[in-house]
Amino acid sequence: MQTHEIRDRFTNHFVNLGHTAVPSASLILDDPTLLFVNAGMVPFKPYFLGQQNPPFENGTATSIQKCVRTLDIEEVGVTTRHNTFFQMAGNFSFGAYFKEGAIKHAWALLTNPLEEGGYGLDPERLWVTVYLDDDEAAEIWEKQIGVPAERIQRLGMEDNYWSMGIPGPAGPCSEIYYDRGPEYGQDGGPAVDDNRYLEIWNLVFMQFERGEGDKKGNFEILGELPKKNIDTGMGVERVAAILQDVDNVYETDLLRPVIDAAQEITGSVYGEKHENDVRFRVIADHARTAMMLVLDGVTPSNEGRGYILRRLMRRIIRSARLLGATGATLEKFISTIMDTMTPSFPEIADNRERILRVSATEEKAFLKTLESGTQLFDETAAQVKSSGKTVVGGHEAFQLHDTYGFPIDLTLEMAAEAGLEVDMAQFDKEMAEQRARAKADNKAKKHGHVDESVYRDWVDNNPTEFFGYSDLTGESTVIGLVSNGQSVTSAQAGDEVEVILDATPMYAESGGQTGDRGRLVSGDTVLEVTDVQKIAKKLWVHKATVVSGGVELGQKITSEVDSAWRHGATQAHTGTHLIHAALRQVLGPTAVQAGSLNRPGYLRFDFNYTDQLSDAQLEEITLIANQAVDRNLAVNTIETSLDEAKKMGAMALFGENYGDQVRVVEIGGPFSIELCGGTHVDSSAEVGPVAVLGESSVGSGARRIEAYSGIDAFKHYSKEAALASGLASSLKAKPEELPDRIQSLTERLKSAEKEIQNLRTQQLLANASGLLEQAETIGTTTLVAVTLDGVSGADLRTLASDLKNRLAGQSAVVLLASVDGDKVPFIAAATPSAVDEGLKSGDLVKTFGQYVGGRGGGKPDMAQGSGSDVAGVDAGFAAVRDVLSSR
């Protein structure tokens, strides 16, 4: 049975039982406690936490959620049960049914015959576990389902008690295991061997609230939840391995083709050596995870989600090289996994070109990293050998890994080839310290959820009516007041308060558009609204200051949007759509929106693209956007179903969850069609001019365009025109002649600077003979140690190199320092004879640097540094003399 059929059977089973089918959320959600969605229940957290009432008919739902877990990336492939990306099929009950229903529904799907929509698993091969004192669940399994008592095992809190790891919902759980047979391990059930007995489904009976503590059960149970809920998770990949009768999750229809592709590319064979099998599995697992992350809008970078993606991709590339690959590999692996995953995720097809482009760019960058890392390792190895040692320091190996992205296994391999070892004890120590820091940082971020329970009644019973698409003023009733997180009945002049109205014309921040500003007026009462935020996509919260009078619950009030603010914001928002459409015309469909910000007169647009835009491309984008303004295109909004919107070609944002009914903003027919809930002008001409300021990088594979709109664009163009006019007058040229005239002046300036530098160098070298006269002999070594005034580090290097060459026939050391403002650049150079005698420039600058508050480094024959303590120069020279005299 193919994986997409396993998914379909699961969904159909629960839909037929009255559950609402909920599409998978994006892997990226607006949740400060999560890097990625890591469990099937994550999108349902507001309902389990009691922040919102579930909107599902019958109080039940089912989903197959995309999940990513990356805490132990190094363990992937070592065992054959875990994936970084996986699909969690789940059914959820919010007070509708509890233990009996969850157990019966799961058992029916697993054991019903194929012709009845089930998976047809042999009931005799299924075992279950329950929590130690959960007699109720054990009795249901034995008395109602018919599982023999000997196949029902009781386990402790660490295995069979669930919580999110932080204060909140918790409860016992019951897990279902499949016996894969004696060839996989010893008899005795999951309590004895969880390799032979494979966990396929976890039924969580969410009925308690836990307090502070850790995941291992060191927390207090505070009491029962208002409703008893069910959260279950069935591992799609594990069930696929069983139904497809393969050894593990890596050999199913989704991942095995990637392993086959890796065999073809590398020449290695899967199944021959454990260490190679781990690499094959890393390639298959990481290729799928990387592809799904890029699909959901993540791009490689050096922090956050982008760092995880980059790390996964680099592990793929490195594993392929260790298996024998010599050229580019990532595109082939990613292309293969897209083929296997598209039947379950059709949206992959529309993003294929973009995903491959991101992958190819990242691989190209990493191959350069490998090249530079190899050079750094060679230098390190040479230093180790020259010192007579045979072990590369663990600190140096860790720096190669952490700072330069150079894999430790490559360092080990190259060290062995050079006849060296690596101090892995020190490397492991520094790696453990880094992980501890990362975990501490992650734990610090994993705080309790922001308490939005104060808004719950309004969210569920009095959602805000927004009428601001058509009107900027209107009558409203104050139905809620919140101050310092607490509901209050009134507020007085000078108070800052959150005001909840039954209806409002003020736009709440979303979709990149900032919230409206305005006033709330009732007789002598005036409140200035500085921001409007949205809670649970249903409730508008007006952040306001009471300027005069007082406000209280039930008060009738006039809501007034700041019309100038709204006009500027709508200009910018519509301008963003024009820029997006122009961008896709110039760059093609792979330039996908990755975020935006619109405020009056200004817009910022982020998009996924790997290359820097040229001046010509920016000029064309600006021209297309302003041509759309000039054409006075109609801006229409259409309320329709999500399916119809997609048929129209409307573009959606990554990470955004849309309901069944959506709002489409159409500009000039096919020119621009996007899903958007923001406010817009009525025609493109109202945007006014659009002035593109430029574009920049905001991470690997992500770019940003910034622009002005409306009167702000006009002011920008006016300033530029005035500047050009002033320059033309100063240079006695016509404005159109400015580029050539400025280029000519720049070339003349560069030539003059080069001539000045040549003269300075000649002067320095002319003084070299005088400096040699200051040489002193210490033991068998000649030392030239001189302080100069106002000489740059680059000029010091030129002078030191010349002096070293003049002294090449003897054992000599040159040490020069300069007082250049509040900086002390310094350099050391050693002749070949001095280096042979063990005098290394790098050691000398380290010694000198200690006295001038600086650091430095380099090669044995020349090293450079900089400090900030002028008073320590003489002491530094004295310390170097001591080094020479003590030899």
Side-chain angles (χ1 to χ4, degrees), residues 507 510-513 569-585 593 596-598 603-605 621 624-625 628-629 633 635-637 650-653 663-668 670-681 684 687 690 709:
Y507 183 80
S510 64
Q513 181 176 335
T570 57
Q571 285 180 307
H573 201 157
T574 305
T576 302
H577 285 225
L578 300 182
I579 289 289
H580 191 189
L583 196 70
R584 290 173 68 85
Q585 284 191 34
Q593 181 173 357
S596 66
L597 173 67
N598 316 294
L603 64 93
R604 187 180 76 200
F605 185 83
I621 291 166
I624 292 172
V629 170
L633 302 173
V635 179
N636 300 310
T637 58
M651 289 181 288
L653 280 175
R663 186 169 182 265
V664 178
V665 175
E666 175 193 76
I667 305 176
F671 179 77
S672 172
I673 306 176
E674 296 190 39
L675 295 179
C676 180
T679 63
H680 291 270
V681 296
S684 62
V687 172
V690 177
S709 60

Side-chain angles (χ1 to χ4, degrees), residues 383-390:
Q383 292 175 6
V384 171
K385 287 185 174 182
S386 67
S387 66
K389 299 178 182 178
T390 59

Side-chain angles (χ1 to χ4, degrees), residues 28 67 289 314 360 402 425 447 473 537 592 594 645 655 688 730 765 861:
I28 308 165
C67 301
T289 306
R314 292 185 170 189
D402 189 54
H447 47 70
T473 62
K537 299 186 178 182
V592 178
S730 297
L765 297 181
D861 65 331

Side-chain angles (χ1 to χ4, degrees), residues 52 534-540 656-659:
Q52 300 175 38
K534 196 182 295 186
I535 303 292
K537 299 186 178 182
K538 293 182 179 182
L539 190 72
W540 273 237
E656 190 72 33
N657 292 324
Y658 297 95

Side-chain angles (χ1 to χ4, degrees), residues 613-632:
L613 272 60
S614 65
D615 291 340
Q617 287 174 319
L618 275 178
E619 185 177 346
E620 187 177 1
I621 291 166
T622 305
L623 177 62
I624 292 172
N626 282 288
Q627 285 175 335
V629 170
D630 185 60
R631 288 164 59 192
N632 194 23

Side-chain angles (χ1 to χ4, degrees), residues 386 778-783 804 810-814 828-845 847 859-863 880-887:
S386 67
I778 300 177
T780 60
T781 303
T782 298
L783 171 66
K804 184 185 72 169
Q810 53 187 294
S811 174
V813 170
V814 176
T831 62
S833 297
V835 172
D836 290 341
E837 293 175 6
L839 289 172
K840 297 179 182 178
S841 298
D843 295 337
L844 297 179
V845 297
T847 299
K859 296 182 179 180
D861 65 331
M862 185 169 289
V880 170
R881 291 187 180 95
D882 289 343
V883 169
L884 297 180
S885 61
S886 64
R887 296 176 62 249

